[in-house]
Amino acid sequence: MSATTAFVDALAGLDRSELGAHAGLRRALRGSGLGPPEAILHPSDTAQTAEVMRSASEHGFGVLPFTSGAHREPARPSAATSPNRPWLGLCTDRLRGIEVYEAADLTLTAGAGTSMEEIDTALRANGQWAPFDPPHARDRSLGGLVADGGFGPLATGYGELRNHVLGMTAVTGDGRVLRLGGRVVKNVAGFDLVRAVTGSRGSLAILTSVTVRAFPLPAVDLVLSLRAARLEELLEAAARVRTAPVLPASCLLYERPDGEGEGAVLLVRLHGAASTVDADRTRLAAHLGRPLDVVAADRAAAAVVHARDAAWGRAVRLELSARPSRLSPLLGIVRAMDPVELALDPFTGRLRVGLEAVEADTVETLSASVEAAGGALRVSAAPSPGVVGMGTTLSEDEARLTDDLRRAFDPRGVLWPAYA
Amino acid sequence: MSVPLSSKTVRDLRSIVGAAHVITDPDRLLAYESDGLTQYRAAPSAAVLPASSDEVARVVERLHGEGIAIVPRGAGTGLSGGALPSEGAVVLGTARMNRILEVDPDDRLAVVQPGVTNARLTEATRPFDLYYAPDPSSQSTCTLGGNVAENSGGPHCLKYGVTSRYVTGLTVVLAGGRVARLGGSGRVASGGLDLTGLFVGSEGCFGIATAIEVRLLPLPASVRTLLAIFDTMEAAGHAVTGIIGSGLMPAAVEIIDRATIEAVEASVFAAGYPKGVGAALVVEFDGTEAGLDADADRAERCCLEVGAREVRRARSEEERLGLWKGRKKAFGAMGRIAPDLLVQDATVPRTRLPHVLASITEIGKQYELRIANVFHAGDGNLHPNILFDRADPDELERVERASHEIMKLCVDAGGTITGEHGVGIDKRAYMGLVHNETELDMLRRVRGVFDADHLFNPGKVVPDAVETPAEPVGSERASAAHAEAGAP
Ligand SMILES: Cc1cc2nc3c(=O)[nH]c(=O)nc-3n(C[C@H](O)[C@H](O)[C@H](O)COP(=O)(O)OP(=O)(O)OC[C@H]3O[C@@H](n4cnc5c(N)ncnc54)[C@H](O)[C@@H]3O)c2cc1C
């Protein structure tokens, strides 16, 4: 350990660990140009987290927060911070545990490092759940999930995760502790900083505790499907689901060569009381002009996970979005890139693409078409650092506001942004 | 005191928006002196009514160039003094920006100018069997621009969520007159910060929304509406907790208390409530026809279990409107029994409703004030309405003190000082109850990111740093609460 980290030693009572113990973080760092951290610290509460941030800020260190690191987008130093700058890993695994769970109020507060699995188990014991389903949702920590802000197909029926983050304790880049929002479901006491921090991927503040809304478990979770050889054959059916008089809990059209058989699947979930779901299924079939197959109850959970994680684990991952009705020509361009997996959400207009490899100029061509359609593109995983993060750039005004917000939360640029 | 604009400024504004749309005549400016919170009044220097994003940008550029502050204004139904003109400011009204720019039934979205009223948007989308979900009780008058600025809610936001869930993109005019586009439904993959979400609820302090893109929902196929009558408010509160905790997903759960019912029954809006009722609950379920009766039955049982005197169920749309009548006409009825009405707004965890409601009754007794409760109970969003006469200075003083006690009560119960009406001018003094100085400073910094010189709606939302808190009791309590939580 270098002399510059003497201040780290002075941080009393903090657990340390070595990078070797964090396979997920190691993977996330690959191709980032970042060397190993000077230390990995495990603060046990908000006060210790604030102390780390204040010290790091004072000594010119960067800090990268993570829980397992496995679901992080690859960490990239921003243009403003030198990759040679020493940095600390801040692992939130000790900020763990459910702090307050008011089942009758459908709200839950937990430490940022609490696993979603633990939260899910606690909620289900009370007939409740958290309908947040980005890929690998149950393997993530609450803080990681909220910092990432990602959402899955259930956003169609329940709204995106960011609508259900009610409050948080956040530590700014310079160690200020902010208690934002609260434990109530409606709250407009001041500007909505919870919204700003949710999805900021650790670029504004470190979350130490988060309050989310819980939902009653639906009596019936019916999973329906249609199959075809290729995703394109199901595009029209997916569009019909979007305009159906019934709003499903989720709808995803995906193509995945492993597991549940080859080819494309349109997976639709209906939630509610048994009689409601039954009627919805009939109405949906009438609107589509064909019935959907019921996925057998013993296979439904696996089918949902299979769909949810589609196009996630490949070497290259593209996140593309456009107004839903404008996706199909873009899909044509994507198809020519030889994708291995595809996942298209016909309600939110998102298309995730999994590839084995990609060239920078192919991304550029695709990006131009996506932007011409009013959409956006982001390369969120790739083996080569030059490609990760490619895609749609923010407008001049959005970039200015983003930079200024980052300065407001993190005046010394301590927090390594996960994206530039 | 109104500060007149220079004749050059007025001329320039007229050349941008047309002579008829720059108002400087003091009589006509009276209409811009206050919003729905009429205790506060101030005359603006002028009111300007641009018709397009481009005109807004040019007006902002012109006024900010001279250091003149701008107060955005929609329909002026706000209840926290958000559209109250600040000293020397010009009101920028969106009344002429009332076009629906796009309805796309295929992608289920609409783009509107900010002056479009909430109800008109739903009317325009109904032919496509779609609607705009957030439904403030003021929806026939209030504007989408105002809804965005306040992050407004409404009775059916219990099931469907508030404004921020439905706003997918914005065109905004920022300080100095720059036009910026934030978000957009096709741009979720950009991976940027949620600037759209941050702008929603910024109460006119970040800029002016000039185009609003919203998500639409399919109209629910059917609806069931119940009206449950209780002897006591406490029982009604328990029924709310029971319904929410039972796993049901009602579209709306609204409470009307005894004082409100009496006011309604004494007015032209009389809805036929039995005499001597303690409280009434309107519970509504919507969605697919099948299953609604079962939900309504369960809700009815929840009410009866805690002692509801009777539960009525609407059999027709006409009967449904009848059951809603007491709720919808409550404000109008109260306006008839007292010269002045202060509509308070706060949220508490739903499990604390019975306790908080009982305490509010006590506060009313202690300060000898009539407090009538009518509110979004399912969300824990209270509206204790204080009836008074401003001509009576002693009563006015008691209103202030009771308001403060109620806010403190709600915060102590784990709640907050406003659930949907915003901070505006009215709740600034209470911000110290929920935020410490570090947090207030952060709110100021974020405002500075959008508007460094505070030329949009100055003096609203965040108390000034130098200001000593108006209510020493409150600030003591707030700092104690923060010390407990381990915050600096
Ligand atoms: C009888 C009654 C019932 C109500 N019921 C509800 C309810 O159920 N739920 C609820 O949430 N509220 C309710 N309200 C409060 C009020 O109607 C809402 O806050 C509404 O959103 C205000 O809209 P407005 O157009 O009247 O805005 P205004 O009052 O004109 O302005 C409100 C704020 O928005 C800003 N603003 C307006 N337009 C813009 C713009 N284009 N860009 C930026 N800032 C802008 C103003 O500066 C101000 O700060 C009620 C009010 C009344 C009188």
Side-chain angles (χ1 to χ4, degrees):
Chain A
M1 197 175 284
S2 72
T4 48
T5 59
F7 84 91
V8 178
D9 296 329
L11 290 169
L14 287 190
D15 280 7
R16 325 266 152 110
S17 61
E18 301 298 324
L19 184 57
H22 303 279
L25 180 65
R26 267 202 338 262
R27 249 197 323 278
L29 290 176
R30 211 173 285 158
S32 71
L34 280 179
E38 299 291 322
I40 292 175
L41 304 176
H42 300 249
S44 64
D45 59 17
T46 301
Q48 284 192 353
T49 308
E51 202 181 336
V52 172
M53 296 312 291
R54 274 195 300 271
S55 299
S57 173
E58 224 166 84
H59 292 84
F61 273 54
V63 174
L64 181 73
F66 70 101
T67 307
S68 76
H71 309 291
R72 229 180 192 295
E73 288 197 10
R76 290 177 307 119
S78 76
T81 44
S82 133
N84 299 320
R85 177 186 191 196
W87 64 282
L88 303 172
L90 192 149
C91 183
T92 62
D93 62 348
R94 290 184 63 206
L95 302 167
R96 198 176 48 211
I98 293 170
E99 294 162 14
V100 186
Y101 172 28
E102 288 267 12
D105 211 25
L106 293 110
T107 60
L108 178 142
T109 306
T114 314
S115 76
M116 286 309 291
E117 186 179 355
E118 183 181 340
I119 290 171
D120 192 53
T121 306
L123 293 174
R124 279 175 198 272
N126 283 283
Q128 298 179 357
W129 70 316
F132 314 137
D133 64 339
H136 301 280
R138 265 173 73 94
D139 309 331
R140 299 187 185 210
S141 66
L142 176 63
L145 190 80
V146 170
D148 180 63
F151 53 89
L154 283 171
T156 293
Y158 292 87
E160 298 93 334
L161 166 71
R162 59 173 181 248
N163 296 293
H164 306 308
V165 181
L166 304 176
M168 53 177 57
T169 305
V171 179
T172 61
D174 52 352
R176 287 169 287 151
V177 177
L178 307 173
R179 289 185 320 136
L180 307 175
R183 288 204 190 104
V184 285
V185 296
K186 276 170 87 181
N187 189 347
V188 291
F191 311 127
D192 197 350
L193 303 190
V194 172
R195 274 280 183 147
V197 174
T198 301
S200 65
R201 299 205 178 92
S203 68
L204 297 184
I206 293 182
L207 300 175
T208 59
S209 166
V210 177
T211 301
V212 288
R213 187 200 295 255
F215 289 76
L217 267 171
V220 173
D221 178 359
L222 182 70
V223 182
L224 302 168
S225 73
L226 283 180
R227 285 177 177 277
R230 281 161 59 90
L231 190 133
E232 283 79 351
E233 294 165 42
L234 294 170
L235 267 180
E236 202 183 309
R240 294 288 291 170
V241 177
R242 186 175 67 241
T243 54
V246 176
L247 186 69
S250 73
C251 176
L252 194 75
L253 175 55
Y254 71 98
E255 200 176 291
R256 219 183 146 167
D258 51 341
E260 301 273 302
E262 300 279 316
V265 183
L266 177 68
L267 206 74
V268 179
R269 286 169 88 179
L270 299 176
H271 286 176
S275 56
T276 315
V277 166
D278 219 43
D280 283 351
R281 186 182 150 207
T282 310
R283 284 167 80 202
L284 197 56
H287 186 79
L288 260 73
R290 66 198 276 200
L292 292 116
D293 302 320
V294 175
V295 178
D298 60 338
R299 286 182 39 245
V304 163
V305 168
H306 195 250
R308 182 197 73 186
D309 297 348
W312 183 261
R314 298 289 160 175
V316 177
R317 187 170 70 238
L318 311 181
E319 304 280 350
L320 188 157
S321 65
R323 275 201 192 181
S325 60
R326 295 181 192 165
L327 270 179
S328 101
L330 300 174
L331 185 62
I333 306 174
V334 167
R335 186 57 89 181
M337 293 165 74
D338 233 359
V340 193
E341 296 186 37
L342 294 165
L344 186 154
D345 185 328
F347 281 85
T348 56
R350 290 186 308 163
L351 173 64
R352 179 174 295 134
V353 186
L355 303 138
E356 294 304 357
V358 78
E359 300 296 329
D361 49 354
T362 325
V363 174
E364 264 163 33
T365 315
L366 175 62
S367 191
S369 307
V370 171
E371 276 171 52
L377 174 74
R378 184 172 96 245
V379 182
S380 59
S384 37
V387 178
V388 182
M390 276 186 72
T392 311
T393 46
L394 299 177
S395 72
E396 195 187 322
D397 292 296
E398 284 174 321
R400 206 268 300 157
L401 291 170
T402 301
D403 284 349
D404 288 355
L405 280 170
R406 280 191 33 212
R407 264 191 288 278
F409 279 87
D410 182 19
R412 297 207 192 177
V414 171
L415 290 163
W416 294 103
Y419 60 99
Chain B
M1 264 288 289
S2 140
V3 185
L5 295 180
S6 76
S7 53
K8 163 108 175 62
T9 308
V10 172
R11 237 184 359 258
D12 289 353
L13 293 175
R14 289 197 166 129
S15 77
I16 299 169
V17 301
H21 308 303
V22 178
I23 301 166
T24 52
D25 168 14
D27 284 344
R28 288 184 65 204
L29 285 178
L30 282 176
Y32 298 92
E33 278 191 351
S34 78
D35 62 5
L37 183 72
T38 50
Q39 286 95 306
Y40 298 93
R41 286 186 177 277
S45 302
V48 186
L49 309 174
S52 67
S53 196
D54 178 57
E55 285 186 11
V56 172
R58 286 160 63 206
V59 167
V60 171
E61 184 185 8
R62 178 68 186 78
L63 291 172
H64 282 184
E66 233 182 291
I68 297 172
I70 294 172
V71 176
R73 182 184 177 99
T77 66
L79 291 170
S80 56
L84 176 81
S86 44
E87 173 102 37
V90 168
V91 166
L92 190 152
T94 59
R96 293 176 64 225
M97 299 179 74
N98 59 1
R99 279 188 307 134
I100 294 172
L101 302 172
E102 182 184 359
V103 176
D104 179 345
D106 196 11
D107 286 335
R108 286 190 171 165
L109 59 83
V111 183
V112 300
Q113 287 191 313
V116 170
T117 62
N118 178 296
R120 216 183 112 221
L121 174 57
T122 283
E123 282 313 311
T125 56
R126 203 185 294 277
F128 305 103
D129 289 326
L130 297 171
Y131 79 117
Y132 177 66
D135 59 340
S137 308
S138 51
Q139 70 184 139
S140 58
T141 348
C142 68
T143 66
L144 267 302
N147 294 173
V148 165
E150 301 287 6
N151 193 13
S152 299
H156 292 83
C157 292
L158 171 59
K159 177 173 174 185
Y160 293 103
V162 294
T163 302
S164 59
R165 178 159 160 189
Y166 294 90
V167 177
T168 50
L170 291 169
T171 302
V172 297
V173 173
L174 299 172
R178 274 189 81 97
V179 182
R181 297 193 54 182
L182 308 179
S185 67
R187 291 176 50 91
V188 284
S190 76
L193 297 179
D194 185 5
L195 297 172
T196 311
L198 178 58
F199 194 95
V200 174
S202 60
E203 299 198 25
C205 297
F206 288 2
I208 296 173
T210 56
I212 302 163
E213 183 191 89
V214 298
R215 182 179 295 153
L216 304 170
L217 289 185
L219 278 168
S222 299
V223 58
R224 287 293 180 284
T225 309
L226 305 176
L227 180 76
I229 309 275
F230 296 87
D231 288 330
T232 65
M233 186 60 158
E234 206 184 341
H238 283 301
V240 174
T241 311
I243 291 169
I244 299 300
S246 72
L248 285 167
M249 272 279 218
V253 177
E254 301 275 311
I255 279 190
I256 316 154
D257 75 350
R258 183 196 304 269
T260 310
I261 290 170
E262 283 169 5
V264 170
E265 290 306 296
S267 76
V268 294
F269 308 119
Y273 291 102
K275 287 251 171 311
V277 171
L281 204 59
V282 180
V283 184
E284 190 156 277
F285 294 92
D286 68 8
T288 301
E289 171 66 27
L292 285 182
D293 280 324
D295 284 352
D297 289 346
R298 275 176 69 196
E300 181 171 336
R301 277 199 300 278
C302 287
C303 293
L304 293 173
E305 269 163 24
V306 295
R309 193 194 281 188
E310 68 168 289
V311 182
R312 300 179 188 170
R313 196 178 299 197
R315 304 280 160 203
S316 64
E317 180 60 17
E318 199 187 341
E319 280 184 33
R320 172 178 177 249
L321 295 177
L323 297 191
W324 270 103
K325 195 170 170 188
R327 167 65 182 94
K328 299 250 176 189
K329 299 295 181 192
F331 289 108
M334 279 186 270
R336 283 168 170 76
I337 60 168
D340 294 293
L341 175 69
L342 178 67
V343 182
Q344 268 300 1
D345 169 44
T347 317
V348 296
R350 295 167 277 208
T351 43
R352 307 301 305 279
L353 276 175
H355 157 73
V356 169
L357 290 168
S359 305
I360 288 175
T361 307
E362 284 310 307
I363 292 171
K365 280 190 195 142
Q366 187 190 335
Y367 290 96
E368 295 170 39
L369 290 168
R370 277 188 296 172
I371 304 182
N373 291 284
V374 43
F375 61 96
H376 314 305
D379 284 319
N381 187 183
L382 301 164
H383 292 320
N385 303 304
I386 310 182
L387 301 155
F388 68 105
D389 179 356
R390 94 177 69 198
D392 176 348
D394 175 61
E395 192 171 48
L396 195 60
E397 153 93 28
R398 282 182 281 125
V399 169
E400 297 278 307
R401 295 193 13 221
S403 286
H404 185 257
E405 292 258 327
I406 292 171
M407 289 301 121
K408 221 152 51 74
L409 167 72
C410 294
V411 171
D412 288 349
T416 192
I417 57 169
T418 167
E420 60 178 19
H421 293 167
V423 178
I425 192 83
D426 191 46
K427 294 283 171 72
R428 256 173 31 129
Y430 303 134
M431 283 289 274
L433 289 174
V434 284
H435 291 297
N436 64 19
E437 187 47 43
T438 308
E439 290 149 5
L440 293 175
D441 172 66
M442 196 65 218
L443 291 172
R444 285 180 207 113
R445 289 191 206 200
V446 170
R447 174 194 211 141
V449 165
F450 285 85
D451 177 20
D453 300 321
H454 286 202
L455 290 174
F456 280 124
N457 224 357
K460 308 287 169 65
V461 184
V462 194
D464 298 335
V466 288
E467 217 172 6
T468 44
E471 305 286 350
V473 189
S475 50
E476 256 165 43
R477 190 168 283 266
S479 44
H482 281 288
E484 226 166 78

